[in-house]
Amino acid sequence: MDRTSVNSWEDKEFQEAVKALGRKKLVVCALWTEVCLCFPALDLLKEGYEVYTIVDAVGGTSRLAHETALRRMEQAGVRLTSVTQYICELQRDWNRKETVPVFFQGLLDNGSFFVETLKEK
């Protein structure tokens, strides 16, 4: 979505799109941890959402900025996870053979993994 604000939650179209999902649990990522991720994540918490973020799928302008933003979000209630942990949580059981190739491809693609791929399989 094209917008000018650094906090996506302050954009009316973005808010409407998120609310239209009808979900209260969200997994969010962004470009910069300390701005593009932290600001909307904190606002989403205030709005009553359960917010998760994948810490190794986002980066800060520095290691210190990234780590500080993660601590700030975690202290506020954002739940932190990693790519591997998240996709293992989705996979749950190796007997779900139809999603195993997608699981491994997600790991091979440097952690570039999209839940929609699982839904398609």
Side-chain angles (χ1 to χ4, degrees):
M1 295 185 159
D2 190 21
R3 59 184 170 77
T4 58
S5 63
V6 296
N7 181 348
S8 56
W9 193 249
E10 292 177 347
D11 182 83
K12 184 179 181 190
E13 285 183 50
F14 181 83
Q15 271 195 35
E16 289 172 355
V18 171
K19 289 177 180 178
L21 295 171
R23 299 177 184 254
K24 292 306 265 182
K25 290 183 180 185
L26 301 175
V27 178
V28 296
C29 277
L31 178 62
W32 287 345
T33 317
E34 67 272 26
V35 180
C36 309
L37 176 60
C38 188
F39 297 165
L42 295 175
D43 285 345
L44 286 163
L45 288 172
K46 289 178 195 171
E47 294 278 334
Y49 288 90
E50 191 174 321
V51 182
Y52 297 79
T53 193
I54 302 172
V55 299
D56 51 352
V58 63
T61 55
S62 70
R63 179 176 291 258
L64 180 61
H66 174 72
E67 294 296 329
T68 302
L70 291 176
R71 284 198 310 266
R72 182 179 179 191
M73 288 186 291
E74 187 174 37
Q75 289 168 349
V78 173
R79 294 174 174 132
L80 309 182
T81 192
S82 68
V83 169
T84 303
Q85 185 178 29
Y86 182 63
I87 61 176
C88 284
E89 189 172 346
L90 293 175
Q91 179 62 37
R92 306 298 294 177
D93 189 327
W94 297 116
N95 281 327
R96 294 180 60 219
K97 295 183 185 332
E98 70 279 0
T99 58
V100 170
V102 176
F103 169 87
F104 283 111
Q105 190 61 52
L107 291 178
L108 291 173
D109 291 343
N110 298 312
S112 177
F113 181 82
F114 297 97
V115 178
E116 290 80 21
T117 309
L118 279 177
K119 292 178 185 172
E120 292 172 6
K121 297 290 177 180

